[in-house]
Amino acid sequence: MDELIPDPPPGFVRSKGRGPFSTHNGPYFHRMGEDGLVEQAFYVLPRHANGIGIVHGGMLSAFSDGLLAAAVGRGTDKVGVTIHLSIDFLHMARQGDWIIGEARMSRATKDVAFADGRLHARGVDIVRASGVFKLMSRHG
């Protein structure tokens, strides 16, 4: 059964071609940001929330991890495998909110890349995240 999801925020389109884990947890949406900015979003469904309707920290962590990895991929054209993920929960979000994430790669070496991002809902930052990613070649 397809869950009812309202139209995404302006400029966002439904993402395709994601791995099974992200596809199961989504649906996710994206839009092209400028100057290396990666923007992704999801609409909080009942399955993303805990028993009192607040978005589960695990969902926010998984979404942040994918967002940061996408920023690394955009910045390096390589796959980034998470070595370290740091999450700060700043505020809560609830069922029925659109969560919008923004991330940028801050730097990369030959083997490792670093990215920083934030998630916000209703104009309030809810998560600050940073990560370190092992760079892998893309294999078809």
Side-chain angles (χ1 to χ4, degrees):
M1 173 171 63
D2 215 13
E3 298 165 288
L4 291 178
I5 298 172
D7 289 339
F12 281 88
V13 295
R14 194 168 182 152
S15 300
K16 295 180 176 137
R18 299 188 66 121
F21 182 83
S22 295
T23 298
H24 176 75
N25 286 326
Y28 294 150
F29 298 77
H30 69 277
R31 70 179 170 196
M32 293 304 295
E34 296 181 15
D35 299 324
L37 182 69
V38 170
E39 296 179 285
Q40 296 180 356
F42 75 96
Y43 181 74
V44 182
L45 297 165
R47 61 189 167 88
H48 298 136
N50 62 20
I52 58 173
I54 295 171
V55 182
H56 194 284
M59 179 63 194
L60 296 172
S61 298
F63 182 70
S64 296
D65 185 36
L67 176 72
L68 296 173
V72 165
R74 183 169 178 185
T76 65
D77 199 31
K78 292 186 177 184
V79 174
V81 177
T82 309
I83 296 172
H84 176 79
L85 180 65
S86 177
I87 302 284
D88 296 318
F89 298 103
L90 307 173
H91 204 278
M92 68 180 123
R94 297 187 176 276
Q95 184 179 317
D97 285 342
W98 274 101
I99 306 291
I100 299 174
E102 303 170 348
R104 248 191 196 91
M105 184 182 77
S106 54
R107 69 185 179 95
T109 68
K110 178 182 171 205
D111 299 314
V112 178
F114 302 81
D116 301 289
R118 72 182 186 114
L119 307 183
H120 57 94
R122 299 173 325 284
V124 176
D125 281 358
I126 58 170
V127 168
R128 178 179 48 221
S130 61
V132 182
F133 297 83
K134 170 72 175 158
L135 297 176
M136 312 289 284
S137 297
R138 291 188 186 272
H139 293 288

